């Protein structure tokens, strides 16, 4: 299926009532969740994951994708109005957006956010449509050996890159814990129970419970512990959202620069949206003819990062669907939504389940149109949401979480596991461990084990075949190369820190002698 036919097929899927509703709920919930400081799209997607599992697989992915890019926009609202980012990728929006709000120009700042986000998302969808069909041809060559290399190698690389600056243990130990949790329950080949301490564990630990416990509970605990209350902010009218002609003139070039920059970052491991926004801001600051306005309300310093943010959010869905490897915590929640319904993300999804792949891509066009239509009239609602006292909000979310987790397997044991994982993950975060590798270990562990055993059976126990098959060999070389690059970058960073520390001590000694 070529790009044009794929898009037309996807649009036929996306405009069906069930999928339109999923996109609507996703972008609406994502924006509301993004608006709330400290919650963010990860926790929001985790909370709604039990509900997503009741939907068609394509609708479930569309829902989570909507939460993801809707959350990116919602996070910018709190950054601009309160100077409190809804999540990490919205930090840069506060640099220029909040100074504009303090000048009484919150409306145009929010309007430019909608404009830049929509334009970048549409450009990225076009690039996705042109880029992804070539992956389908590669996908036809994949077998157990290739899937094993892709899943295991990708996990190792992601764990290493995500813990950059923290040491190997920060990513690999949670990954090992996730793989261990993934072995609990009935073994697929022989039916033997493993680590089943109580009968309810025979079906394994629910990935939904793990996801919500890892990302939902800690964020709620953080919100409560920080004792956030409601905040007074000035009202924003719909009419004030319309930017001036000069605003558009200064924003267009920045938007067109930020979109391709963000698209490229979205295809790379790591916090792509966050890195894209900071890189775009630095780029705009370096090329702008109005450098003196940066930090005081330069509209291009808001438009560029917003475009990069949403472009990265769009393109980062490619690795999830086409490779089965998510590069962010929110997108990682797409995997249990698919795997729980018997669908394996990866190169073959374009061939075996085109309705999911093309339906999700087409839904991004529909979802971003919904974001524009919804958020212009709803800006007053989001302002009111920011005034809701946090304790009341947390209490309601906890109730929804417990109902959702229990409904997946109708097991009270899942509620105890949810509590244990939630408390443990809160501790892990305080100790600076990465949580995404743990979730991916639980989700991909059974698939890694199955492909490993199948590959050994097909090759009569020859372990060397796992590394010498052409595609697998290329994947492993890329993994080793990625780890090597990460190590070199880490070595340079530490060497620079030592030089700066040494120079600082020398300066202090000279000052002491002078005194």
């Amino acid at each position: 299926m070529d790009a044009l036919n794929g898009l037309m097929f996807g649009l036929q899927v996306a405009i069906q009532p069930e999928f339109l509703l999923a996109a609507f709920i996703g972008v609406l919930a994502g924006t509301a969740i993004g608006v709330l400081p400290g919650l963010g799209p990860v926790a929001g997607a985790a909370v709604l994951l039990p509900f997503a599992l009741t939907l068609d697989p394509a609708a479930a992915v569309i829902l989570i994708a909507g939460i993801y890019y809707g959350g990116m926009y919602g996070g910018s609202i709190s950054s601009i109005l309160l100077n409190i980012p809804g999540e990490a990728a919205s930090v840069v929006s506060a640099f220029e957006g909040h100074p504009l709000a303090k000048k009484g120009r919150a409306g145009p700042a929010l309007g430019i956010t909608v404009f830049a986000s929509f334009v970048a998302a549409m450009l990225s969808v076009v690039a996705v449509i042109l880029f992804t069909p070539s992956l389908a041809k590669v996908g036809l060559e994949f077998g157990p050996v290739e899937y094993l290399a892709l899943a295991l190698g990708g996990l190792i690389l992601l764990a290493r890159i995500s813990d950059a600056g923290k040491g190997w243990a920060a990513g690999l130990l949670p990954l090992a814990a996730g793989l261990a949790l993934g072995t609990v329950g009935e073994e697929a080949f022989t039916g033997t129970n493993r680590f089943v301490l109580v009968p309810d564990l025979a079906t394994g630990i629910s990935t939904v419970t793990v996801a919500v416990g890892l990302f939902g509970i800690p964020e709620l605990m953080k919100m409560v512990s920080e004792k956030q209350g409601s905040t007074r902010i000035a009202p924003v009218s719909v009419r004030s959202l319309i930017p001036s002609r000069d605003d558009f003139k200064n924003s267009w070039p920045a938007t067109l620069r930020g979109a391709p920059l963000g698209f490229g970052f979205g295809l790379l491991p790591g916090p792509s949206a966050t890195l894209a926004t900071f890189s775009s801001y630095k780029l705009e600051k370096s090329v702008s003819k109005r450098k003196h306005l940066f930090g005081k309300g330069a509209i291009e310093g808001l438009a560029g990062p917003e475009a990069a943010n949403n472009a990265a959010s769009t393109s980062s869905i490619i690795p999830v669907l086409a490779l089965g490897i998510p590069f962010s915590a929110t997108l990682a929640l797409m995997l249990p939504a698919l795997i729980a319904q018997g669908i394996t993300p990866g190169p073959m999804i374009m061939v075996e389940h085109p309705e999911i792949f093309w339906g999700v891509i087409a839904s991004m066009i529909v979802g971003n149109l919904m974001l524009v239509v919804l958020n212009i009239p709803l800006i007053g609602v989001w302002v009111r949401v920011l005034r809701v006292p946090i304790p009341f909000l947390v209490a309601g979310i906890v109730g929804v979480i417990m109902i959702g987790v229990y409904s997946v397997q109708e097991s009270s044991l899942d509620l105890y596991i949810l509590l244990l994982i939630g408390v443990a993950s809160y501790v892990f975060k305080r100790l600076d461990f990465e949580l995404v590798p743990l979730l991916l270990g639980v989700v991909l562990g059974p698939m890694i084990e199955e492909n490993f055993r199948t590959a050994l059976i097909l090759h009569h126990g020859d372990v060397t075949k796992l590394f010498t098959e052409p595609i697998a060999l290329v994947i492993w070389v890329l993994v080793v190369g990625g780890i090597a690059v990460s190590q070199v970058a880490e070595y340079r960073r530490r060497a620079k820190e030592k030089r700066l520390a040494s120079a600082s001590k020398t300066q202090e000694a000279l000052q002491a002698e002078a005194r």
Side-chain angles (χ1 to χ4, degrees), residues 107 235-242 376 379:
V236 179
S237 66
V238 174
R239 184 176 297 179
S240 70
L241 294 176
I242 302 175
I376 290 177
I379 187 63

Side-chain angles (χ1 to χ4, degrees), residues 378-430:
L378 287 181
I379 187 63
V381 175
W382 304 137
V383 170
R384 293 187 187 95
V385 167
L386 288 170
R387 296 171 179 166
V388 174
I390 294 299
F392 292 104
L393 190 65
V394 169
I397 294 174
V398 168
V400 172
I401 285 176
M402 297 186 71
I403 293 171
V405 168
Y406 179 80
S407 66
V408 174
Q409 297 186 137
E410 296 185 356
S411 171
S412 59
L413 179 64
D414 285 346
L415 298 179
Y416 293 106
I417 294 174
L418 172 71
L419 179 61
L420 288 173
I421 292 178
V423 173
S425 61
Y426 181 76
V427 175
F428 288 162
K429 289 192 73 173
R430 296 296 294 262

Side-chain angles (χ1 to χ4, degrees), residues 189-243:
F189 277 77
T190 64
T192 304
N193 284 334
R194 300 180 296 188
F195 310 110
V196 177
L197 303 179
V198 294
D200 284 352
L201 282 177
T203 57
I205 297 176
S206 167
T207 54
V208 177
T209 304
V210 174
V212 177
L214 284 176
F215 299 107
I217 299 298
E219 292 301 326
L220 296 175
M221 294 174 68
K222 179 182 176 183
M223 290 172 69
V224 172
S225 65
E226 291 178 353
K227 299 179 180 179
Q228 299 179 49
S230 57
T231 308
R232 288 186 174 276
I233 56 178
V236 179
S237 66
V238 174
R239 184 176 297 179
S240 70
L241 294 176
I242 302 175

Side-chain angles (χ1 to χ4, degrees), residues 8-21 62 359 362-363 366:
M8 298 307 296
F9 175 72
L11 286 172
Q12 291 176 5
V13 173
I15 62 175
Q16 294 180 25
E18 179 182 2
F19 303 119
L20 282 175
L21 181 61
I62 288 171
S363 77
V366 177

Side-chain angles (χ1 to χ4, degrees), residues 186-327:
E186 188 178 281
E187 194 267 323
F189 277 77
T190 64
T192 304
N193 284 334
R194 300 180 296 188
F195 310 110
V196 177
L197 303 179
V198 294
D200 284 352
L201 282 177
T203 57
I205 297 176
S206 167
T207 54
V208 177
T209 304
V210 174
V212 177
L214 284 176
F215 299 107
I217 299 298
E219 292 301 326
L220 296 175
M221 294 174 68
K222 179 182 176 183
M223 290 172 69
V224 172
S225 65
E226 291 178 353
K227 299 179 180 179
Q228 299 179 49
S230 57
T231 308
R232 288 186 174 276
I233 56 178
V236 179
S237 66
V238 174
R239 184 176 297 179
S240 70
L241 294 176
I242 302 175
S244 67
R245 182 176 298 180
D246 286 341
D247 289 334
F248 277 117
K249 179 182 176 181
N250 292 318
S251 299
W252 259 111
T255 300
L256 296 178
R257 284 189 292 264
L261 181 66
F263 184 86
F265 269 102
L267 300 175
L268 302 175
S272 56
T274 304
L275 293 175
T277 56
F278 278 96
S279 299
S280 176
Y281 185 75
K282 185 175 181 180
L283 173 63
E284 293 308 315
K285 195 172 182 179
S286 63
V287 303
S288 177
K289 297 178 180 179
R290 309 191 308 161
K291 292 183 175 63
H292 63 284
L293 290 179
F294 275 75
K296 302 175 183 178
I299 200 76
E300 59 267 40
L302 176 64
E306 281 298 318
N309 183 354
N310 283 269
S313 304
T314 302
S315 64
S316 60
I317 293 176
I318 296 177
V320 184
L321 295 178
L323 301 177
I325 301 176
F327 294 149

